[in-house]
Amino acid sequence: MSDASKTKERRKAALNTPTPLGADATRDISAELNALLADVLALYLKTKNFHWHMSGPYFRDYHLLLDEQSDEIYATVDPIAERVRKLGGTTLRSLGHAARLRRLLDNDADFVTPDDMLAELREDNIQLAGFMRATHGLCDEHGDVATASLLENWIDEAERRVWFLFETSRHA
């Protein structure tokens, strides 16, 4: 092994958190959680974008709803990243890394109608809950009940956001 390889291995050794789940679980679950973290960051920023650019007769209600939802989404960022580290993995290191892993799409349009904002966020939250369910299944395969437990709460929160976005966008 070259000196450069040895140095690189020594640097990584300090991050080797002990875990009873094993190397496969660390690799697989960390990868899924990092993708989930990238999606959460993308959804957070899109929700804030729509919050900042909301307009129309229901401005106040929608503006406050999206502010509340963005806070709830952001509250999952640190627990997801810390769970990766508890498993012995490494987490996202940059916005570029997050952009490469995320599955939710951005919306850079100059103008989006309030109805389209709510519909897009509803669909994104449905997708996010689906990604979380898939990650939960992987946790079940590896016997990672702690991550599965966290995911169950986050799935419930995503489903609540979907419900609120759906009901808010209904026109009686």
Side-chain angles (χ1 to χ4, degrees), residues 84-144:
V84 171
R85 292 294 297 126
K86 289 176 192 175
L87 293 171
T90 57
T91 193
L92 300 179
R93 299 185 185 277
S94 67
L95 288 175
H97 189 186
R100 290 187 298 276
L101 293 179
R102 70 149 169 81
R103 297 157 290 189
L104 297 178
L105 300 177
D106 292 333
N107 185 323
D108 296 329
D110 288 338
F111 177 77
V112 181
T113 67
D115 285 343
D116 287 344
M117 288 179 184
L118 298 178
E120 188 170 333
L121 290 174
R122 183 182 65 242
E123 293 306 311
D124 286 345
N125 277 281
I126 288 170
Q127 270 192 285
L128 183 65
F131 298 148
M132 289 177 177
R133 281 187 186 85
T135 305
H136 190 288
L138 181 65
C139 292
D140 289 344
E141 289 175 30
H142 288 289
D144 182 2

Side-chain angles (χ1 to χ4, degrees), residues 13-82:
L15 296 176
N16 289 335
T17 305
T19 177
L21 295 176
D24 290 345
T26 294
R27 180 194 64 237
D28 297 347
I29 297 170
S30 293
E32 287 301 313
L33 287 175
N34 276 321
L36 193 61
L37 179 57
D39 289 325
V40 165
L41 289 168
L43 182 58
Y44 168 75
L45 189 54
K46 183 187 284 187
T47 304
K48 284 307 260 189
N49 170 28
F50 289 168
H51 159 81
W52 295 322
H53 294 98
M54 185 55 69
S55 64
Y58 302 107
F59 166 79
R60 185 176 191 285
D61 292 337
Y62 293 171
H63 184 78
L64 293 174
L65 172 68
L66 298 185
D67 199 33
E68 177 185 297
Q69 289 196 355
S70 66
D71 286 348
E72 182 177 87
I73 293 163
Y74 187 75
T76 65
V77 169
D78 203 45
I80 293 170
E82 287 181 355

Side-chain angles (χ1 to χ4, degrees), residues 154-169:
W154 297 330
I155 291 166
D156 183 59
E157 290 173 1
E159 289 175 344
R160 183 177 187 269
R161 290 190 301 271
V162 168
W163 175 42
F164 273 58
L165 290 163
F166 170 73
E167 292 297 342
T168 300
S169 65

